[in-house]
Amino acid sequence: MTEELLRLSKRMSELGLSSRREADEWIARGWVRVDGKVVSELGSKVYPSQRITVERQAAAEQSKRVTVLINKPVGYVSGQAEDGYTPAIALIKAENRWADDPAPEQFHPTQLRSLVAAGRLDIDSVGLLVLTQDGRVAKQLIGHDTDIDKEYLVRVEYTKGGKLPEADLKRLNHGLWLDGKALLPAKVRWQNDDQLSFTLREGKKRQIRRMCEAVGLKVLGLKRVRIGRVKLGDLPTGQWRYLGPDERF
């Protein structure tokens, strides 16, 4: 069987060593070796069987990258500023850091450089939003093959009188289509009389609101409380903390 050549940066991303952008940066700095030899030309290709190693400086650089958890309030957009709305990154400043954050990191404005939202949360939704400088974290949370689930608490009102039929609750769990495609199975259950818990493995635009509409539910409030193994916990609205060294999604 003949092996196929791959771009070195793509292969490094596949191996979980770095994001593609980081890989290109490290290659240019001479921090990447293939079978023990430094490869510093961008666009270089390798065979999957070749051994890729990175210099210690790259690992040190990567360990300085921060990941921040924020409890996003209503009225902030997750990513880039749009239509006069403020992006959530504007909340990340020393005075908004949660007083109970156990992480040893000191806040420094350089941490805001290339800090990007790993996943979105609508302007009218609240709760856990992750911003990271680490390409590995971003890939884990928003890569097309991610298997990390997210949990939301959703306050709803049934618009058709009475209570949501059991059959429609089953459809929320599995059987709904959006944009011509079947949704992946979800876990949807009642938390209390007017609140559902949704656990999803995908995040199409306004997915939960549209799923609810499809069965006659109106969403009154939506809060993301967990991403993988990381919980929102007691983090107050509008405040942030660092992802701890021992926390994994």
Side-chain angles (χ1 to χ4, degrees):
M1 238 173 84
T2 55
E3 281 194 295
E4 209 175 312
L5 278 166
L6 294 167
R7 264 186 92 104
L8 176 55
S9 56
K10 180 173 194 271
R11 181 67 182 141
M12 285 172 67
S13 161
E14 278 176 5
L15 291 169
L17 292 169
S18 65
S19 69
R20 286 196 201 188
R21 201 175 67 196
E22 275 173 334
D24 283 337
E25 208 176 289
W26 297 352
I27 292 164
R29 289 182 177 188
W31 289 353
V32 179
R33 291 174 184 260
V34 176
D35 293 337
K37 292 195 180 69
V38 171
V39 172
S40 56
E41 197 176 315
L42 289 178
S44 297
K45 298 200 163 175
V46 293
Y47 288 110
S49 58
Q50 290 185 282
R51 189 164 157 266
I52 300 168
T53 51
V54 293
E55 301 294 318
R56 278 210 306 273
Q57 300 96 301
E61 178 111 327
Q62 214 168 29
S63 69
K64 289 199 304 250
R65 309 221 153 151
V66 298
T67 296
V68 167
L69 310 173
I70 190 164
N71 185 346
K72 185 188 92 64
V74 167
Y76 286 81
V77 289
S78 327
Q80 313 287 276
E82 49 184 86
D83 311 330
Y85 293 117
T86 313
I89 194 170
L91 291 164
I92 298 174
K93 40 192 178 191
E95 58 268 33
N96 287 346
R97 183 175 178 182
W98 186 30
D100 293 342
D101 183 0
E105 264 96 354
Q106 293 291 310
F107 174 68
H108 195 276
T110 55
Q111 292 167 352
L112 299 173
R113 275 208 301 256
S114 68
L115 191 66
V116 295
R120 46 176 298 130
L121 199 54
D122 295 328
I123 191 162
D124 40 9
S125 301
V126 301
L128 186 56
L129 181 67
V130 177
L131 297 149
T132 187
Q133 290 179 314
D134 190 333
R136 292 166 305 174
V137 172
K139 182 170 186 282
Q140 203 185 15
L141 295 187
I142 51 180
H144 59 87
D145 50 359
T146 182
D147 59 355
I148 289 176
D149 63 0
K150 302 175 178 77
E151 186 183 351
Y152 303 80
L153 293 181
V154 188
R155 274 202 22 256
V156 291
E157 178 180 62
Y158 190 48
T159 56
K160 298 179 178 177
K163 203 167 163 19
L164 180 75
E166 195 57 35
D168 281 340
L169 183 65
K170 282 207 173 93
R171 280 176 66 216
L172 286 172
N173 277 275
H174 195 199
L176 288 179
W177 288 61
L178 283 187
D179 306 325
K181 283 178 86 172
L183 293 177
L184 295 177
K187 276 193 203 127
V188 185
R189 58 179 203 279
W190 287 103
Q191 282 288 103
N192 50 45
D193 288 346
D194 66 346
Q195 199 172 46
L196 285 164
S197 154
F198 275 74
T199 301
L200 303 181
R201 280 261 159 105
E202 60 191 332
K204 293 191 177 355
K205 198 167 179 181
R206 300 184 83 73
Q207 178 171 338
I208 290 177
R209 291 169 198 277
R210 292 167 68 197
M211 285 171 77
C212 285
E213 254 162 49
V215 295
L217 289 170
K218 182 178 173 198
V219 171
L220 305 176
L222 194 155
K223 180 184 200 174
R224 182 156 62 203
V225 292
R226 182 177 63 77
I227 297 176
R229 283 186 285 184
V230 175
K231 292 181 174 148
L232 180 62
D234 298 325
L235 184 62
T237 304
Q239 294 188 18
W240 62 274
R241 68 174 180 88
Y242 291 104
L243 181 73
D246 51 345
E247 285 185 290
R248 295 282 177 275
F249 290 102

Short mmCIF file of all heavy atoms in Angstrom, two decimals, residues 130-153:
data_model
loop_
_atom_site.label_atom_id
_atom_site.label_comp_id
_atom_site.label_asym_id
_atom_site.label_seq_id
_atom_site.Cartn_x
_atom_site.Cartn_y
_atom_site.Cartn_z
N VAL A 130 -16.65 29.40 26.35
CA VAL A 130 -15.22 29.15 26.47
C VAL A 130 -14.49 30.02 25.45
O VAL A 130 -14.83 30.04 24.27
CB VAL A 130 -14.91 27.66 26.17
CG1 VAL A 130 -13.40 27.39 26.21
CG2 VAL A 130 -15.63 26.76 27.16
N LEU A 131 -13.46 30.73 25.93
CA LEU A 131 -12.58 31.49 25.05
C LEU A 131 -11.18 30.93 25.25
O LEU A 131 -10.76 30.70 26.39
CB LEU A 131 -12.60 32.99 25.40
CG LEU A 131 -13.96 33.67 25.21
CD1 LEU A 131 -14.14 34.80 26.21
CD2 LEU A 131 -14.10 34.23 23.81
N THR A 132 -10.45 30.69 24.16
CA THR A 132 -9.15 30.04 24.33
C THR A 132 -8.10 30.59 23.36
O THR A 132 -8.43 31.04 22.26
CB THR A 132 -9.27 28.51 24.18
OG1 THR A 132 -8.02 27.91 24.51
CG2 THR A 132 -9.68 28.10 22.76
N GLN A 133 -6.85 30.52 23.80
CA GLN A 133 -5.71 30.82 22.91
C GLN A 133 -5.11 29.52 22.39
O GLN A 133 -4.18 29.53 21.61
CB GLN A 133 -4.61 31.55 23.70
CG GLN A 133 -4.94 32.96 24.13
CD GLN A 133 -3.78 33.57 24.93
OE1 GLN A 133 -3.22 32.95 25.82
NE2 GLN A 133 -3.43 34.79 24.62
N ASP A 134 -5.62 28.39 22.89
CA ASP A 134 -5.02 27.09 22.61
C ASP A 134 -5.78 26.38 21.49
O ASP A 134 -6.94 26.00 21.67
CB ASP A 134 -5.05 26.25 23.90
CG ASP A 134 -4.24 24.97 23.78
OD1 ASP A 134 -4.09 24.46 22.65
OD2 ASP A 134 -3.77 24.46 24.82
N GLY A 135 -5.11 26.23 20.36
CA GLY A 135 -5.75 25.60 19.20
C GLY A 135 -6.24 24.20 19.47
O GLY A 135 -7.22 23.74 18.89
N ARG A 136 -5.58 23.48 20.40
CA ARG A 136 -6.00 22.11 20.70
C ARG A 136 -7.37 22.10 21.38
O ARG A 136 -8.20 21.25 21.12
CB ARG A 136 -4.99 21.43 21.62
CG ARG A 136 -3.64 21.17 20.97
CD ARG A 136 -2.59 20.83 22.00
NE ARG A 136 -2.50 21.86 23.04
CZ ARG A 136 -1.74 21.74 24.12
NH1 ARG A 136 -1.03 20.65 24.31
NH2 ARG A 136 -1.69 22.71 25.03
N VAL A 137 -7.59 23.09 22.27
CA VAL A 137 -8.88 23.18 22.97
C VAL A 137 -9.98 23.51 21.97
O VAL A 137 -11.05 22.91 21.95
CB VAL A 137 -8.82 24.22 24.11
CG1 VAL A 137 -10.21 24.46 24.70
CG2 VAL A 137 -7.86 23.76 25.19
N ALA A 138 -9.70 24.51 21.10
CA ALA A 138 -10.71 24.92 20.10
C ALA A 138 -11.09 23.73 19.22
O ALA A 138 -12.27 23.48 18.98
CB ALA A 138 -10.17 26.06 19.25
N LYS A 139 -10.09 22.97 18.79
CA LYS A 139 -10.36 21.83 17.90
C LYS A 139 -11.21 20.78 18.63
O LYS A 139 -12.13 20.19 18.05
CB LYS A 139 -9.04 21.22 17.44
CG LYS A 139 -9.17 20.06 16.47
CD LYS A 139 -7.81 19.69 15.89
CE LYS A 139 -7.94 18.64 14.80
NZ LYS A 139 -8.13 17.28 15.30
N GLN A 140 -10.91 20.57 19.92
CA GLN A 140 -11.65 19.59 20.72
C GLN A 140 -13.12 19.98 20.85
O GLN A 140 -14.00 19.14 20.79
CB GLN A 140 -11.00 19.58 22.12
CG GLN A 140 -11.23 18.31 22.87
CD GLN A 140 -10.67 18.42 24.29
OE1 GLN A 140 -10.38 19.49 24.79
NE2 GLN A 140 -10.53 17.29 24.93
N LEU A 141 -13.38 21.29 20.98
CA LEU A 141 -14.75 21.74 21.23
C LEU A 141 -15.54 21.99 19.95
O LEU A 141 -16.75 21.83 19.94
CB LEU A 141 -14.74 23.02 22.08
CG LEU A 141 -14.19 22.88 23.50
CD1 LEU A 141 -14.40 24.16 24.28
CD2 LEU A 141 -14.83 21.72 24.24
N ILE A 142 -14.86 22.45 18.89
CA ILE A 142 -15.64 22.81 17.69
C ILE A 142 -15.17 22.08 16.43
O ILE A 142 -15.68 22.35 15.36
CB ILE A 142 -15.66 24.34 17.43
CG1 ILE A 142 -14.24 24.93 17.45
CG2 ILE A 142 -16.53 25.05 18.45
CD1 ILE A 142 -14.19 26.43 17.21
N GLY A 143 -14.23 21.15 16.57
CA GLY A 143 -13.84 20.37 15.40
C GLY A 143 -15.04 19.59 14.89
O GLY A 143 -15.95 19.28 15.65
N HIS A 144 -15.05 19.28 13.59
CA HIS A 144 -16.26 18.65 13.01
C HIS A 144 -16.50 17.25 13.59
O HIS A 144 -17.60 16.72 13.49
CB HIS A 144 -16.18 18.61 11.48
CG HIS A 144 -15.00 17.86 10.96
ND1 HIS A 144 -15.04 16.51 10.75
CD2 HIS A 144 -13.75 18.27 10.63
CE1 HIS A 144 -13.86 16.10 10.31
NE2 HIS A 144 -13.06 17.15 10.23
N ASP A 145 -15.46 16.65 14.21
CA ASP A 145 -15.67 15.30 14.75
C ASP A 145 -15.74 15.31 16.28
O ASP A 145 -15.48 14.31 16.93
CB ASP A 145 -14.54 14.36 14.27
CG ASP A 145 -13.16 14.98 14.52
OD1 ASP A 145 -13.08 16.11 15.05
OD2 ASP A 145 -12.15 14.32 14.19
N THR A 146 -16.10 16.46 16.85
CA THR A 146 -16.14 16.55 18.31
C THR A 146 -17.21 15.62 18.90
O THR A 146 -18.27 15.45 18.32
CB THR A 146 -16.39 17.99 18.79
OG1 THR A 146 -16.37 18.00 20.23
CG2 THR A 146 -17.73 18.54 18.32
N ASP A 147 -16.88 14.99 20.04
CA ASP A 147 -17.90 14.15 20.68
C ASP A 147 -18.19 14.70 22.08
O ASP A 147 -18.67 13.97 22.95
CB ASP A 147 -17.44 12.69 20.73
CG ASP A 147 -16.13 12.54 21.49
OD1 ASP A 147 -15.54 13.57 21.89
OD2 ASP A 147 -15.68 11.39 21.68
N ILE A 148 -17.88 15.96 22.30
CA ILE A 148 -18.11 16.57 23.61
C ILE A 148 -19.54 17.11 23.66
O ILE A 148 -19.95 17.88 22.79
CB ILE A 148 -17.07 17.68 23.86
CG1 ILE A 148 -15.71 17.01 24.09
CG2 ILE A 148 -17.46 18.54 25.06
CD1 ILE A 148 -14.56 17.92 24.25
N ASP A 149 -20.29 16.69 24.67
CA ASP A 149 -21.68 17.13 24.74
C ASP A 149 -21.80 18.42 25.57
O ASP A 149 -20.90 18.79 26.32
CB ASP A 149 -22.60 16.02 25.26
CG ASP A 149 -22.26 15.60 26.68
OD1 ASP A 149 -21.32 16.17 27.26
OD2 ASP A 149 -22.94 14.71 27.22
N LYS A 150 -22.92 19.10 25.38
CA LYS A 150 -23.17 20.36 26.07
C LYS A 150 -24.57 20.29 26.69
O LYS A 150 -25.48 19.79 26.05
CB LYS A 150 -23.08 21.54 25.09
CG LYS A 150 -21.72 21.62 24.39
CD LYS A 150 -21.69 22.72 23.34
CE LYS A 150 -20.32 22.83 22.68
NZ LYS A 150 -20.08 21.79 21.70
N GLU A 151 -24.69 20.81 27.90
CA GLU A 151 -25.98 20.74 28.59
C GLU A 151 -26.55 22.14 28.81
O GLU A 151 -25.82 23.06 29.21
CB GLU A 151 -25.83 20.02 29.93
CG GLU A 151 -27.16 19.80 30.63
CD GLU A 151 -27.03 19.14 32.00
OE1 GLU A 151 -25.92 18.70 32.36
OE2 GLU A 151 -28.06 19.10 32.70
N TYR A 152 -27.84 22.26 28.55
CA TYR A 152 -28.54 23.54 28.67
C TYR A 152 -29.77 23.37 29.55
O TYR A 152 -30.44 22.34 29.48
CB TYR A 152 -29.03 24.02 27.29
CG TYR A 152 -27.95 24.17 26.26
CD1 TYR A 152 -27.46 23.04 25.57
CD2 TYR A 152 -27.41 25.41 25.93
CE1 TYR A 152 -26.45 23.17 24.63
CE2 TYR A 152 -26.41 25.54 24.98
CZ TYR A 152 -25.93 24.42 24.34
OH TYR A 152 -24.94 24.53 23.39
N LEU A 153 -30.09 24.40 30.33
CA LEU A 153 -31.37 24.44 31.04
C LEU A 153 -32.24 25.45 30.30
O LEU A 153 -31.81 26.59 30.05
CB LEU A 153 -31.17 24.86 32.50
CG LEU A 153 -30.42 23.84 33.37
CD1 LEU A 153 -30.31 24.34 34.79
CD2 LEU A 153 -31.08 22.46 33.33
#
